[in-house]
Amino acid sequence: MHALDVQQLRKTYGNGVEALKGVSMTVEEGDFFALLGPNGAGKSTLIGIVSSLVNATAGDVKVFGTSVMRERSRAMSYLGLVPQEINFNMFEKPLDIVVNQAGYYGIPRKQALERAEFYLRELQLWDKHDKPSRGLSGGMKRRLMIARAMVNEPRLLILDEPTAGVDIEIRRSMWELIRRINERGTTVILTTHYLEEAEELCRNIAIIDRGEIRENTTMKSLLSKLDVETFVLDLREPLKEAPRCQNMDISLRDENTLEVTLPRSKSVNALFASLDQSGINVLSMRNKANRLEELFLRLVEQGDDAPEGRS
Amino acid sequence: MNASVNWVGYCTIVRKEVSRIVRIWGQTVVPPAITMSLYFIIFGNLIGSRIGDMGGFDYMQFIVPGLVMMSVITNSYGNMVSSFFGAKYSHHIEELLISPLPNWIILAGYVTGALVRGMLVGGVVLAVSLFFSPIEIQHPWVTFSVLVLTAIVFAMAGMVNAIFAEKFDDIAIIPTFVLTPLTYLGGVFYSISLLPDFWRTVSQFNPILYMINGFRYGMLGVSDVPLSLTYVIIGAFGVGLFALCMYLLKTGKGMRS
């Protein structure tokens, strides 16, 4: 059974904006799935429809075989949502927020208190459980939303940009936590702007742009489509113009920096041999972007070139 | 969903609402107690002593049911509109919207919260009135039922206001320009038998008149209107507002895109 089955989903808002144009996709049970797309691509609308916060114009969404449109209550009982924006009552205490959420899922208070303590401890928030939540830092607020979403132990957890605006240390600890949640059997769908995050965590991926799915495949097969890689080289001596090398696209970013696009079939040694022949001394080298980012940009750029360009 | 999920969900909403009332007691319970004490002192004691009898009771006794009912109406309405709009405005209503709870449980939970505040404040005002006038309740069941049903009706009206409101100003418009005038003109301070024919007829279109008089009948045994009409009007508004609230929650007006 699919954890999520989206069929021909359409959403046109009252102002005429067509946010989803017949999106179909599935997510398998137990998967760690990335949903990627630029701003305004339709990610949040899609998640909004799955979590019943947005009414679909047409199509169907099933969570573990239960239609969100026809059996909303049952479908919602399988779901946990960590939204993009902070949406808890700032005047309540973290413990109350998590316990109340458990109550909305019919979990008796005694059990709700035990679970709330477990998840608040796991998310390193227990020492703040009795303090007003408005005093929490940005990272703590995001972790509180994860604890709240986990308290009903959902079979499907949707995280809409959960690490937006948190520092790298907290982001990495949140990755570990989400990975642990997935390992316990919860299907996870993650939307993120940090493509490195998707590449690090997710096994399958869908890329959505302008309300349409551009790619829906495994992370591995998507990355294998990448046939070139771009490197940035810092030079010891300044250059006036970029050297010419066969099968390589070299450009001068500034007089001390070269940008080289290399086919994956070509060895990096060949690049250095050519540069050596031209008398160019390289101080350091790095990837221009991570692999997924390059693919993502290419897919989105392809969309920009299509006849129905972004208006 | 099964009944136990709904029951736990309902209790959770009620507990949350009651916690809120207690947490901000300085805004929820104290102001009505002070305001009503002033009404009792100024209208009941200082002015009322010069007015004489009304409806066969001294003026202070006559206005006690009206002031209790006024407190219940404004507080049940106010609790719902501020709590539900606050939840909508800061988006934590989404905690409930994505939960498996059916809409009628959400409505019942919030209405119960508003009812608790209405009854709590009504009780405080009644207790304050005892300092100024002895109270003897003539028909306890009528008193209780009219009070509870009226609080439920105004709690649902508050939810409609909260759903349509887009900014904080919008939750003050109805109480200021509709609720307060209708309450003051609904016989809190006078019997409509004192009014000229035209204004007496106009007053009969004011639904709050029937609620106040039904409650006054329960407490004092006198009323300007038949008791049956009180229940019919409360019932009609109750059914209509329940249907409207359910429709608005189902469509997600102002909450679901």
Side-chain angles (χ1 to χ4, degrees), chain B residues 140-171:
Chain B
W141 282 110
V142 173
T143 307
F144 183 73
S145 61
V146 171
L147 202 64
V148 168
L149 291 171
T150 303
I152 291 172
V153 164
F154 280 94
M156 290 192 290
M159 180 172 269
V160 173
N161 188 172
I163 288 174
F164 278 102
E166 289 176 358
K167 51 189 188 300
F168 277 98
D169 289 350
D170 297 340
I171 65 172

mmCIF file of all heavy atoms in Angstrom, chain B residues 140-171:
data_model
loop_
_atom_site.group_PDB
_atom_site.id
_atom_site.type_symbol
_atom_site.label_atom_id
_atom_site.label_comp_id
_atom_site.label_asym_id
_atom_site.label_seq_id
_atom_site.Cartn_x
_atom_site.Cartn_y
_atom_site.Cartn_z
ATOM 1 N N PRO B 140 -36.262 27.632 39.206
ATOM 2 C CA PRO B 140 -34.825 27.339 38.975
ATOM 3 C C PRO B 140 -34.535 26.722 37.610
ATOM 4 O O PRO B 140 -33.544 27.099 36.963
ATOM 5 C CB PRO B 140 -34.497 26.348 40.100
ATOM 6 C CG PRO B 140 -35.540 26.566 41.140
ATOM 7 C CD PRO B 140 -36.759 27.013 40.432
ATOM 8 N N TRP B 141 -35.369 25.811 37.138
ATOM 9 C CA TRP B 141 -35.070 25.157 35.856
ATOM 10 C C TRP B 141 -35.191 26.119 34.676
ATOM 11 O O TRP B 141 -34.412 26.049 33.729
ATOM 12 C CB TRP B 141 -35.962 23.927 35.650
ATOM 13 C CG TRP B 141 -35.443 22.786 36.471
ATOM 14 C CD1 TRP B 141 -36.020 22.231 37.576
ATOM 15 C CD2 TRP B 141 -34.198 22.093 36.272
ATOM 16 N NE1 TRP B 141 -35.222 21.235 38.088
ATOM 17 C CE2 TRP B 141 -34.103 21.128 37.311
ATOM 18 C CE3 TRP B 141 -33.169 22.204 35.357
ATOM 19 C CZ2 TRP B 141 -33.007 20.271 37.428
ATOM 20 C CZ3 TRP B 141 -32.077 21.360 35.472
ATOM 21 C CH2 TRP B 141 -31.995 20.401 36.497
ATOM 22 N N VAL B 142 -36.175 27.001 34.763
ATOM 23 C CA VAL B 142 -36.306 28.005 33.699
ATOM 24 C C VAL B 142 -35.082 28.923 33.733
ATOM 25 O O VAL B 142 -34.466 29.201 32.694
ATOM 26 C CB VAL B 142 -37.610 28.837 33.881
ATOM 27 C CG1 VAL B 142 -37.663 29.991 32.889
ATOM 28 C CG2 VAL B 142 -38.832 27.946 33.735
ATOM 29 N N THR B 143 -34.710 29.347 34.917
ATOM 30 C CA THR B 143 -33.547 30.232 35.084
ATOM 31 C C THR B 143 -32.306 29.585 34.468
ATOM 32 O O THR B 143 -31.600 30.195 33.645
ATOM 33 C CB THR B 143 -33.287 30.476 36.598
ATOM 34 O OG1 THR B 143 -34.486 30.937 37.179
ATOM 35 C CG2 THR B 143 -32.174 31.474 36.809
ATOM 36 N N PHE B 144 -32.082 28.333 34.866
ATOM 37 C CA PHE B 144 -30.879 27.638 34.421
ATOM 38 C C PHE B 144 -30.907 27.378 32.911
ATOM 39 O O PHE B 144 -29.940 27.651 32.195
ATOM 40 C CB PHE B 144 -30.756 26.315 35.195
ATOM 41 C CG PHE B 144 -29.521 25.542 34.863
ATOM 42 C CD1 PHE B 144 -28.273 25.969 35.311
ATOM 43 C CD2 PHE B 144 -29.583 24.393 34.098
ATOM 44 C CE1 PHE B 144 -27.125 25.268 35.005
ATOM 45 C CE2 PHE B 144 -28.441 23.676 33.784
ATOM 46 C CZ PHE B 144 -27.207 24.117 34.234
ATOM 47 N N SER B 145 -32.053 26.864 32.429
ATOM 48 C CA SER B 145 -32.103 26.485 31.009
ATOM 49 C C SER B 145 -31.988 27.704 30.092
ATOM 50 O O SER B 145 -31.285 27.661 29.084
ATOM 51 C CB SER B 145 -33.372 25.686 30.703
ATOM 52 O OG SER B 145 -34.520 26.466 30.970
ATOM 53 N N VAL B 146 -32.665 28.790 30.449
ATOM 54 C CA VAL B 146 -32.592 29.995 29.597
ATOM 55 C C VAL B 146 -31.153 30.536 29.590
ATOM 56 O O VAL B 146 -30.629 30.912 28.541
ATOM 57 C CB VAL B 146 -33.594 31.070 30.074
ATOM 58 C CG1 VAL B 146 -33.360 32.396 29.345
ATOM 59 C CG2 VAL B 146 -35.020 30.602 29.831
ATOM 60 N N LEU B 147 -30.533 30.505 30.754
ATOM 61 C CA LEU B 147 -29.161 31.009 30.853
ATOM 62 C C LEU B 147 -28.198 30.176 29.991
ATOM 63 O O LEU B 147 -27.415 30.714 29.198
ATOM 64 C CB LEU B 147 -28.713 30.958 32.327
ATOM 65 C CG LEU B 147 -27.573 31.888 32.717
ATOM 66 C CD1 LEU B 147 -27.978 33.341 32.546
ATOM 67 C CD2 LEU B 147 -27.157 31.634 34.155
ATOM 68 N N VAL B 148 -28.287 28.853 30.133
ATOM 69 C CA VAL B 148 -27.375 27.962 29.392
ATOM 70 C C VAL B 148 -27.638 28.055 27.888
ATOM 71 O O VAL B 148 -26.699 28.203 27.081
ATOM 72 C CB VAL B 148 -27.532 26.506 29.891
ATOM 73 C CG1 VAL B 148 -26.820 25.535 28.948
ATOM 74 C CG2 VAL B 148 -26.988 26.364 31.300
ATOM 75 N N LEU B 149 -28.911 27.993 27.508
ATOM 76 C CA LEU B 149 -29.231 28.016 26.071
ATOM 77 C C LEU B 149 -28.820 29.346 25.435
ATOM 78 O O LEU B 149 -28.308 29.384 24.312
ATOM 79 C CB LEU B 149 -30.721 27.748 25.857
ATOM 80 C CG LEU B 149 -31.181 26.317 26.195
ATOM 81 C CD1 LEU B 149 -32.700 26.214 26.153
ATOM 82 C CD2 LEU B 149 -30.560 25.303 25.236
ATOM 83 N N THR B 150 -29.037 30.440 26.161
ATOM 84 C CA THR B 150 -28.644 31.752 25.633
ATOM 85 C C THR B 150 -27.124 31.828 25.466
ATOM 86 O O THR B 150 -26.625 32.323 24.448
ATOM 87 C CB THR B 150 -29.125 32.875 26.574
ATOM 88 O OG1 THR B 150 -30.539 32.756 26.727
ATOM 89 C CG2 THR B 150 -28.786 34.239 26.026
ATOM 90 N N ALA B 151 -26.403 31.311 26.452
ATOM 91 C CA ALA B 151 -24.932 31.321 26.352
ATOM 92 C C ALA B 151 -24.480 30.508 25.139
ATOM 93 O O ALA B 151 -23.562 30.909 24.411
ATOM 94 C CB ALA B 151 -24.319 30.755 27.633
ATOM 95 N N ILE B 152 -25.128 29.376 24.892
ATOM 96 C CA ILE B 152 -24.754 28.532 23.740
ATOM 97 C C ILE B 152 -25.019 29.278 22.433
ATOM 98 O O ILE B 152 -24.185 29.285 21.518
ATOM 99 C CB ILE B 152 -25.524 27.185 23.788
ATOM 100 C CG1 ILE B 152 -25.002 26.338 24.968
ATOM 101 C CG2 ILE B 152 -25.396 26.429 22.474
ATOM 102 C CD1 ILE B 152 -25.812 25.080 25.242
ATOM 103 N N VAL B 153 -26.198 29.920 22.351
ATOM 104 C CA VAL B 153 -26.547 30.666 21.125
ATOM 105 C C VAL B 153 -25.503 31.751 20.861
ATOM 106 O O VAL B 153 -25.005 31.896 19.734
ATOM 107 C CB VAL B 153 -27.967 31.275 21.260
ATOM 108 C CG1 VAL B 153 -28.205 32.363 20.219
ATOM 109 C CG2 VAL B 153 -29.017 30.186 21.134
ATOM 110 N N PHE B 154 -25.136 32.503 21.906
ATOM 111 C CA PHE B 154 -24.195 33.607 21.670
ATOM 112 C C PHE B 154 -22.764 33.113 21.469
ATOM 113 O O PHE B 154 -21.972 33.777 20.799
ATOM 114 C CB PHE B 154 -24.316 34.660 22.775
ATOM 115 C CG PHE B 154 -25.483 35.551 22.517
ATOM 116 C CD1 PHE B 154 -26.711 35.283 23.095
ATOM 117 C CD2 PHE B 154 -25.384 36.601 21.627
ATOM 118 C CE1 PHE B 154 -27.818 36.066 22.813
ATOM 119 C CE2 PHE B 154 -26.481 37.392 21.334
ATOM 120 C CZ PHE B 154 -27.708 37.130 21.928
ATOM 121 N N ALA B 155 -22.463 31.954 22.006
ATOM 122 C CA ALA B 155 -21.146 31.372 21.716
ATOM 123 C C ALA B 155 -21.067 31.036 20.224
ATOM 124 O O ALA B 155 -20.055 31.318 19.567
ATOM 125 C CB ALA B 155 -20.948 30.116 22.558
ATOM 126 N N MET B 156 -22.135 30.460 19.680
ATOM 127 C CA MET B 156 -22.119 30.115 18.246
ATOM 128 C C MET B 156 -22.097 31.381 17.383
ATOM 129 O O MET B 156 -21.426 31.423 16.347
ATOM 130 C CB MET B 156 -23.310 29.220 17.903
ATOM 131 C CG MET B 156 -23.174 27.825 18.504
ATOM 132 S SD MET B 156 -24.347 26.619 17.873
ATOM 133 C CE MET B 156 -25.859 27.203 18.577
ATOM 134 N N ALA B 157 -22.820 32.412 17.841
ATOM 135 C CA ALA B 157 -22.770 33.688 17.104
ATOM 136 C C ALA B 157 -21.342 34.236 17.109
ATOM 137 O O ALA B 157 -20.867 34.772 16.105
ATOM 138 C CB ALA B 157 -23.733 34.681 17.746
ATOM 139 N N GLY B 158 -20.665 34.067 18.234
ATOM 140 C CA GLY B 158 -19.263 34.500 18.326
ATOM 141 C C GLY B 158 -18.377 33.751 17.360
ATOM 142 O O GLY B 158 -17.460 34.323 16.766
ATOM 143 N N MET B 159 -18.663 32.472 17.178
ATOM 144 C CA MET B 159 -17.844 31.706 16.231
ATOM 145 C C MET B 159 -18.045 32.210 14.800
ATOM 146 O O MET B 159 -17.080 32.344 14.039
ATOM 147 C CB MET B 159 -18.164 30.213 16.304
ATOM 148 C CG MET B 159 -17.321 29.424 15.318
ATOM 149 S SD MET B 159 -17.452 27.657 15.482
ATOM 150 C CE MET B 159 -16.144 27.290 16.619
ATOM 151 N N VAL B 160 -19.285 32.529 14.447
ATOM 152 C CA VAL B 160 -19.555 33.057 13.096
ATOM 153 C C VAL B 160 -18.760 34.359 12.901
ATOM 154 O O VAL B 160 -18.103 34.553 11.874
ATOM 155 C CB VAL B 160 -21.074 33.290 12.889
ATOM 156 C CG1 VAL B 160 -21.337 33.984 11.561
ATOM 157 C CG2 VAL B 160 -21.834 31.972 12.959
ATOM 158 N N ASN B 161 -18.803 35.229 13.896
ATOM 159 C CA ASN B 161 -18.054 36.485 13.839
ATOM 160 C C ASN B 161 -16.554 36.206 13.683
ATOM 161 O O ASN B 161 -15.873 36.797 12.835
ATOM 162 C CB ASN B 161 -18.333 37.275 15.119
ATOM 163 C CG ASN B 161 -17.759 38.698 15.093
ATOM 164 O OD1 ASN B 161 -18.018 39.485 15.978
ATOM 165 N ND2 ASN B 161 -16.978 39.044 14.085
ATOM 166 N N ALA B 162 -16.051 35.266 14.477
ATOM 167 C CA ALA B 162 -14.607 34.954 14.439
ATOM 168 C C ALA B 162 -14.200 34.388 13.080
ATOM 169 O O ALA B 162 -13.125 34.680 12.574
ATOM 170 C CB ALA B 162 -14.260 33.961 15.544
ATOM 171 N N ILE B 163 -15.061 33.578 12.498
ATOM 172 C CA ILE B 163 -14.731 32.971 11.200
ATOM 173 C C ILE B 163 -14.671 34.038 10.110
ATOM 174 O O ILE B 163 -13.773 34.029 9.268
ATOM 175 C CB ILE B 163 -15.746 31.854 10.847
ATOM 176 C CG1 ILE B 163 -15.503 30.640 11.762
ATOM 177 C CG2 ILE B 163 -15.633 31.448 9.383
ATOM 178 C CD1 ILE B 163 -16.528 29.527 11.621
ATOM 179 N N PHE B 164 -15.608 34.983 10.146
ATOM 180 C CA PHE B 164 -15.629 36.013 9.101
ATOM 181 C C PHE B 164 -14.581 37.107 9.342
ATOM 182 O O PHE B 164 -14.177 37.793 8.404
ATOM 183 C CB PHE B 164 -17.022 36.654 8.994
ATOM 184 C CG PHE B 164 -17.976 35.817 8.173
ATOM 185 C CD1 PHE B 164 -18.928 35.024 8.784
ATOM 186 C CD2 PHE B 164 -17.900 35.818 6.791
ATOM 187 C CE1 PHE B 164 -19.796 34.243 8.032
ATOM 188 C CE2 PHE B 164 -18.765 35.033 6.024
ATOM 189 C CZ PHE B 164 -19.715 34.244 6.652
ATOM 190 N N ALA B 165 -14.169 37.281 10.591
ATOM 191 C CA ALA B 165 -13.232 38.368 10.914
ATOM 192 C C ALA B 165 -11.880 38.135 10.249
ATOM 193 O O ALA B 165 -11.383 37.011 10.199
ATOM 194 C CB ALA B 165 -13.058 38.464 12.426
ATOM 195 N N GLU B 166 -11.317 39.213 9.738
ATOM 196 C CA GLU B 166 -9.994 39.120 9.123
ATOM 197 C C GLU B 166 -8.945 39.869 9.935
ATOM 198 O O GLU B 166 -7.759 39.638 9.769
ATOM 199 C CB GLU B 166 -10.045 39.659 7.693
ATOM 200 C CG GLU B 166 -10.815 38.713 6.778
ATOM 201 C CD GLU B 166 -10.974 39.238 5.370
ATOM 202 O OE1 GLU B 166 -10.519 40.368 5.099
ATOM 203 O OE2 GLU B 166 -11.556 38.504 4.559
ATOM 204 N N LYS B 167 -9.393 40.798 10.758
ATOM 205 C CA LYS B 167 -8.451 41.527 11.626
ATOM 206 C C LYS B 167 -9.128 41.766 12.974
ATOM 207 O O LYS B 167 -10.344 41.576 13.101
ATOM 208 C CB LYS B 167 -7.997 42.830 10.966
ATOM 209 C CG LYS B 167 -9.113 43.706 10.464
ATOM 210 C CD LYS B 167 -8.556 44.849 9.633
ATOM 211 C CE LYS B 167 -9.615 45.867 9.272
ATOM 212 N NZ LYS B 167 -10.727 45.322 8.495
ATOM 213 N N PHE B 168 -8.313 42.189 13.949
ATOM 214 C CA PHE B 168 -8.848 42.318 15.307
ATOM 215 C C PHE B 168 -9.996 43.334 15.371
ATOM 216 O O PHE B 168 -10.915 43.170 16.163
ATOM 217 C CB PHE B 168 -7.731 42.662 16.289
ATOM 218 C CG PHE B 168 -6.976 41.439 16.729
ATOM 219 C CD1 PHE B 168 -5.777 41.091 16.139
ATOM 220 C CD2 PHE B 168 -7.491 40.596 17.705
ATOM 221 C CE1 PHE B 168 -5.086 39.942 16.517
ATOM 222 C CE2 PHE B 168 -6.808 39.441 18.102
ATOM 223 C CZ PHE B 168 -5.607 39.108 17.498
ATOM 224 N N ASP B 169 -9.952 44.369 14.528
ATOM 225 C CA ASP B 169 -11.054 45.357 14.521
ATOM 226 C C ASP B 169 -12.388 44.678 14.247
ATOM 227 O O ASP B 169 -13.424 45.080 14.770
ATOM 228 C CB ASP B 169 -10.809 46.418 13.429
ATOM 229 C CG ASP B 169 -9.665 47.342 13.805
ATOM 230 O OD1 ASP B 169 -9.230 47.265 14.964
ATOM 231 O OD2 ASP B 169 -9.217 48.119 12.943
ATOM 232 N N ASP B 170 -12.351 43.633 13.386
ATOM 233 C CA ASP B 170 -13.601 42.985 12.970
ATOM 234 C C ASP B 170 -14.291 42.238 14.106
ATOM 235 O O ASP B 170 -15.485 41.956 14.030
ATOM 236 C CB ASP B 170 -13.346 41.986 11.820
ATOM 237 C CG ASP B 170 -12.817 42.691 10.583
ATOM 238 O OD1 ASP B 170 -13.002 43.907 10.477
ATOM 239 O OD2 ASP B 170 -12.217 42.010 9.725
ATOM 240 N N ILE B 171 -13.532 41.897 15.148
ATOM 241 C CA ILE B 171 -14.206 41.173 16.238
ATOM 242 C C ILE B 171 -14.813 42.139 17.262
ATOM 243 O O ILE B 171 -15.481 41.714 18.186
ATOM 244 C CB ILE B 171 -13.275 40.141 16.938
ATOM 245 C CG1 ILE B 171 -12.112 40.812 17.662
ATOM 246 C CG2 ILE B 171 -12.782 39.098 15.949
ATOM 247 C CD1 ILE B 171 -11.300 39.836 18.512
#
